[in-house]
Amino acid sequence: MMQDIFEIAFKDLKIEFRTKNTITFMILFGLITSMMFSISVPLSAVRDVAPGLLWLVFLFVGLLGFSRAFLRELEMGTLDGLKIAPVSPADILLGKIIYNLVLVLIIELIVFPLFIGLFDLRVENLFLAFGVITLGNVGFVVVSSSLSPLVLKAKSRELLIPIILFPVIYPIISSTISALSTAIKGGGLMDTSQEIVLILSFTIIMLTVSLLTFDHALED
Amino acid sequence: MNAIEVRNLVKRYGNFLALNDVTFNVKKGESFALLGPNGAGKTTFVRILSGQVKPTSGEVRVFGENTREFSKNVKKRLGVISHNTFLYDDLSAWENLGFYGKLYGVESLDKKIKEILSKMNLYERADDLVRNFSRGMKQRLAIARALLHSPDLVILDEPTAGLDIQSRMELFRLIDAIKAENRTIVFTTHNLEEVYRVCDVVAIMNKGQVLEITEVKESLDLKEYYLSLVEGS
């Protein structure tokens, strides 16, 4: 099972790094939005609004890219190839989640330092801030990877994905912003434990529900 | 012994009845054709048979297992060739077969890929991206993908669509080899000559129903038989 999951993720990464169809736009979009925010926000307000703005960047970038993992399979007709192959729907979902996680980690490694530089932001607990962003992105990837197949066959799927995603992902967004704010101001792990537990619990629940119901999402 | 058992199969898409109370069996080692005009329900049946779509009611059993709950072991025994190639344009021919071969747990994978690409006259293009292939080459590679794991049941859904004469003859040679190994074949087509060429038994379908199932014999005037059934339904 694990081998099938990694084969699916590795195949997607190989295609993505060969074509750079998605990651290039995700990085560019992340850079552009970070620059626009840095121009429009007064320096005095940076520390208060930076966590929300940074998370907005990841949200926009994620909405642009995460659903592509399934859309590409649908557009090429290869989703049916996976459905008839001896892999479970859960294997397919986990493969897509791993693929999206690799993408988001790359984006994070580029956008986060750039965001700090553009805003001249002093992050007191850099390690915790990076950890919180990563954890929030893991939750985001799990939810968006699980929900995007539900609207794959809809005509206005690009519009539907954010509409469906926002209410579901709200607990992750609010907790991540709160924990990130604490980390920027120098708080420690214990100060953010409530948010971290909430993000982790929500992600695990969403992942479990998705794995149990994902075969229905793939049905015609 | 039956390879496939279809019982009271119904498939609806909204108000459209794609398959209406279909019942038949396919014996192990048999070459079974589904012949019918466009919209007869052939592809819908193939999609249910291969586990891509679940039926509205009724059931299909493949090697004794219901397609609603296909195990990995039964899926490994199926090979599907359709007008959709299931190939990744941005992977090479070798990478495509490597990916599917690993999912199907094919042993001695490199050797098998080399063999089948050579058989399909694609070995020289093994490292080329599929997006640079012609339609005929993609279809040949799709056949290689479907046969790589030596399936016991080969499902061919209008496999000659888009193939040139040479590729079509190569496909028929491969089908002969599959038949010689006593593997089961399900073949959908609306071409009568292909039924004579490939199949032992033909089910004539129209409007989601199987009208008649008969053995394919030289003496059978399939054209007359087909037209009388389809036009009368």
Side-chain angles (χ1 to χ4, degrees), chain A residues 22-95:
Chain A
T22 306
I23 196 160
T24 309
F25 290 102
M26 289 173 88
I27 292 170
L28 280 175
F29 199 76
L31 299 181
I32 291 166
T33 44
S34 298
M35 286 174 74
M36 285 174 69
F37 286 151
S38 73
I39 293 165
S40 53
V41 175
L43 277 175
S44 57
V46 163
R47 274 176 88 86
D48 293 325
V49 298
L53 292 180
L54 181 59
W55 193 245
L56 260 182
V57 173
F58 286 120
L59 204 61
F60 289 156
V61 168
L63 287 175
L64 194 72
F66 294 156
S67 59
R68 288 295 310 158
F70 280 105
L71 276 177
R72 184 161 49 202
E73 301 275 7
L74 186 75
E75 286 164 3
M76 292 177 64
T78 46
L79 193 58
D80 285 336
L82 290 179
K83 280 157 78 174
I84 60 171
V87 291
S88 68
D91 294 345
I92 299 172
L93 176 63
L94 289 170

Side-chain angles (χ1 to χ4, degrees), chain B residues 175-203:
Chain B
I175 293 172
D176 288 341
I178 295 166
K179 285 176 72 172
E181 289 167 5
N182 209 30
R183 290 192 255 167
T184 312
I185 294 174
V186 172
F187 189 97
T188 78
T189 184
H190 37 63
N191 186 325
L192 297 171
E193 282 173 23
E194 289 179 355
V195 175
Y196 279 119
R197 176 73 179 76
V198 173
C199 299
D200 311 320
V201 178
V202 58

Side-chain angles (χ1 to χ4, degrees), chain A residues 7 18 73 76-77 83 220, chain B residues 47 75 88-90 95:
Chain A
E7 286 300 337
R18 186 168 286 164
E73 301 275 7
M76 292 177 64
K83 280 157 78 174
D220 281 5
Chain B
R47 286 172 66 79
K75 279 184 165 187
Y88 294 91
D89 278 351
D90 294 305
E95 287 168 339

Side-chain angles (χ1 to χ4, degrees), chain A residues 4 7-8 11 14-15 18-19 73 76-78 80-88 91 219-220, chain B residues 47 50 52-54 72 75-76 80 84 86-92 95 99-100 102-104 129:
Chain A
D4 294 340
E7 286 300 337
I8 292 168
K11 175 263 301 170
K14 190 184 272 183
I15 292 173
R18 186 168 286 164
T19 62
E73 301 275 7
M76 292 177 64
T78 46
D80 285 336
L82 290 179
K83 280 157 78 174
I84 60 171
V87 291
S88 68
D91 294 345
E219 270 180 38
D220 281 5
Chain B
R47 286 172 66 79
S50 56
Q52 294 174 62
V53 175
K54 288 185 178 161
K72 287 186 182 182
K75 279 184 165 187
K76 279 183 184 176
V80 182
N84 180 356
F86 308 136
L87 296 171
Y88 294 91
D89 278 351
D90 294 305
L91 294 181
S92 69
E95 287 168 339
F99 170 65
Y100 281 109
K102 282 173 189 165
L103 294 188
Y104 280 86
L129 293 185

Side-chain angles (χ1 to χ4, degrees), chain A residues 5-6 8-9 12 90-100:
Chain A
I5 293 167
F6 284 110
I8 292 168
D12 281 338
D91 294 345
I92 299 172
L93 176 63
L94 289 170
K96 298 295 177 190
I97 287 175
I98 291 172
Y99 161 73
N100 277 331

